[in-house]
Amino acid sequence: MANKGFEILNAGPDLRAVTLDANKHMFYGFPFGSAMDYKSVMAVNQVLGKEPNSKVLECSLKACKLRANEDSFICVGGADMGWKIDSETIEGYQCYEINTGQILSGGFSKNGLRSYIAFSREIDEVSGNHIIFQNDSEKSTPQPKAYQFKVNNNLVIHRGPEWNLLDQKSKEAMMIYSARISPNLSRMGTYLDGKVLTIKTNFPKQSVCTFPGVIQLLPSGQLLVLAQDAQTTGGYPRIAYLDKDNLADFNQLPIGKELKWRLEIL
Amino acid sequence: MNPLLIASINFNLIEIDNDKLLLQVTNNQIKQSTSIPLIAEHINNSQLKQIHNVVAAENEILIYYKKESFTELLNELQKFSNSKIIPDKESFKIEVCFEFGEDWEAVCNHTKKKREQIISELLKCKFPLINYGFQPGFMYLDDLDESLSVPRRSTPRLKVPAGTLAIGGKYVGIYGSESPGGWNIIGRSSHKIIDNFEIEHFPSIGQKIEFIQIGKQSYLRKYGK
């Protein structure tokens, strides 16, 4: 099959090809990587009848603009970015045919933060301004919609390795905590604007292992939730971590959004 | 959970999310016989089918494992209980061009030594690699003479090129990839992650790193900018 792929007319603030797989070389300091919202990735792939882990495009904050250089089926999901094929609005988690020369575009996210695009053929790579498909990949068979994206800001956390460094008041505050997503957010992590917490004793000056979803307490008392592209080690106490099912939900919360969590003791 | 013995060191175990296992050195072992990153590397290189990834810090190891393989994983790790893990004795040579050093003035001022003298001392030493981390391919090298120790810059640079050789406190570091960084830049090395890099060609933990000086033109010809 000819490999014409799609042309990127506008990448938006952050466009990348992602899967659900972690980087295999974390021992050498490579971040975990992978998609920020695995639920949406699995769902868009499912609609196109593909393996849940197939590579998709991830757009953060604002949609990209693509021109089809070949006929394809696509499915968009995750945050609603007002996606259109030419001037026709399309819905999330539905299969649409896009023909050569047609344009896929959208705007800023209306709910959530990250949107995903799956293609019927397997993405090989994003190279320069082209999305290149694997040579031997055939179009998959579309399946009915089975998922609806919803922003979930009621989250669950668990106690982290340094939970006991928190003073009693801070422990109580962490049990049911509310905060807002600060503007300081990226694929590395998100700072929260919320109640300032304190620890009883100094945290030793040595690095510890970190992971996506871990909640670090900074010396200022502010909380930082690490995400998929965070460093593999860090120097701040890990007082808690997000329940794995909620990390994808957290990663979809936009700047300024209020969130609440409750502590569940395992 | 009971502590787990690996390479004659006791670790406390913390299970996270049913897919991560944190091994922390127990408090009663003040000075371990072998470095924790060396043990972590041994586990990583063993390519156990239950393990996705291994991360090492000074006193702990984080293992990402396949769901529902926890018991199997523990059984496998128990096989390492009395393993003697010895670092590769052969030194690993890395070419360095000191002409790329942007912070020589600060380093010379702080150490009160001349640039040529510092370079000469660095070329005579063999620095053990104590861990990777911070950024992809970043190497922490130990045994820097105290007289060459320089505190980190008060303001980190937003962009430090891949391959950069730098001093940060008591360590020498090599940036495997471009990243922000606050260490004092004294040169650029051949250790950098480029398109076709291979992890297999990285030095192993505990291996002694030796610097070989090359000129700027040779560096640019062999390794690019």
Side-chain angles (χ1 to χ4, degrees), chain A residues 97-112:
Chain A
E97 186 163 17
I98 181 166
N99 295 312
T100 305
Q102 285 193 298
I103 307 281
L104 174 69
S105 63
F108 283 98
S109 55
K110 296 172 186 170
N111 66 342

Side-chain angles (χ1 to χ4, degrees), chain A residues 22-32 161-162 206-212 231-233 238 241-242 244, chain B residues 16-17 19-20 24 41 44 53-60 62 64 132 134-137 193 197 199 202:
Chain A
N23 191 297
K24 288 177 185 149
H25 301 305
M26 291 179 73
F27 182 78
Y28 298 97
F30 287 79
F32 185 87
E162 282 78 53
Q206 61 182 38
S207 65
V208 292
C209 299
T210 59
F211 51 90
Q231 294 169 11
T232 53
T233 56
R238 304 155 295 183
Y241 58 93
L242 284 169
K244 203 173 182 194
Chain B
I16 299 166
D17 272 339
D19 63 2
K20 292 181 278 296
Q24 292 184 310
E41 184 182 55
N44 193 48
N53 259 308
V54 178
V55 174
E58 217 167 306
N59 277 318
E60 59 180 41
L62 181 64
Y64 291 76
Y132 287 96
F134 164 56
Q135 288 291 331
I193 293 167
F197 80 97
I199 292 290
F202 281 16

Side-chain angles (χ1 to χ4, degrees), chain A residues 213-234:
Chain A
V214 80
I215 302 169
Q216 292 182 318
L217 178 59
L218 306 181
S220 63
Q222 194 180 17
L223 296 180
L224 168 62
V225 182
L226 296 188
Q228 270 72 355
D229 284 355
Q231 294 169 11
T232 53
T233 56

Side-chain angles (χ1 to χ4, degrees), chain B residues 184-195:
Chain B
N184 301 279
I185 299 175
I186 55 168
R188 201 169 302 165
S189 77
S190 51
H191 173 78
K192 51 185 187 181
I193 293 167
I194 48 173
D195 283 352

